[in-house]
Amino acid sequence: MTHEDARMQAACDYIRSHSEEPLSLDDMSRQAGLSPFHFLRRFKAFTGLTPKQFLDGCRLDALKGHLRGGGSVTEAIYEAGFGSSSRVYEKVDTRLGMTPKEYRTGGERVSISYVAERTAVGLMMMGATDRGLCFVQFGESEAELLEMLRGEYPKAQLTAMAEPYPEQFQAWMQALGAHLAGEQPNLCLPLDLRATAFQWKVWRYLQSIPYAEVQSYSEVAEGIGQPKAARAVARACATNRVAIVIPCHRVIRGTGELGGYRWGLDRKRALLDGERAARARGTRRQVGGS
């Protein structure tokens, strides 16, 4: 990871950990040690999102966590850092994929569109609500993957995505394909998942592990501030429903062994080898161009 990437990753971490507070562009750029103009440009190049879009995504993740806690919708909205309920409902159709009340009740009657594509590491199915990925998994056949999707969301309406795909859906597919090909190291795609607060804490941390690097289950537990929770971290990795986007393949045993992976150890090894090869190619290009 370059110094510039490390700076932007630190900015992402700062926004995630302070998303329930009022944050302005000046606040975020000051924390990164850059002018607002340069911070905006570099942050968007790193994540594909503006700082405001990234902050809104973090607040929506927090909102989902509060809603799963069973409190009132109004309380959840304000605890997540939104200044008013109207601002949330403006984003409902484009980011949350359902109303806060529907989300709290488990997403009944929510529509999920899906498509299966061949990748360098096997057949992959992507499922999404209107504006969030809820399923990215690998399998041997489309029928097997569809059964897995039904098992994850038994109450949802599942619909095969017909071509031409909607622009946003196509963009997500292209981003995943480019990432698997080693052409886009950083993935910052919107998610629409149900999970416990602990799972979210682990998954967010996994997204901060740099491309082509690994950490042990114990290191992840330390990283989330719960050093005795290595086994719980392993369970959270095993329940991840969005492969690659939440990179649980970057977590290994403290001995250096790969450990488990719900989509197979050969695939886990291939993903890590592919990331390391892509990083090596990028390093050679930088050296050759200097």
Side-chain angles (χ1 to χ4, degrees), residues 64 68 103 133-135 153 191-195 200 203 240-242 246:
K64 293 173 185 180
R68 284 189 297 271
Y103 198 95
L133 296 171
C134 62
F135 184 93
Y153 301 99
L191 298 175
D192 191 356
L193 299 171
R194 295 191 298 273
W200 273 113
W203 294 347
N240 175 23
R241 298 186 293 278
V242 284
I246 295 174

Side-chain angles (χ1 to χ4, degrees), residues 187-198:
L187 271 181
C188 248
L189 301 177
L191 298 175
D192 191 356
L193 299 171
R194 295 191 298 273
T196 66
F198 181 82

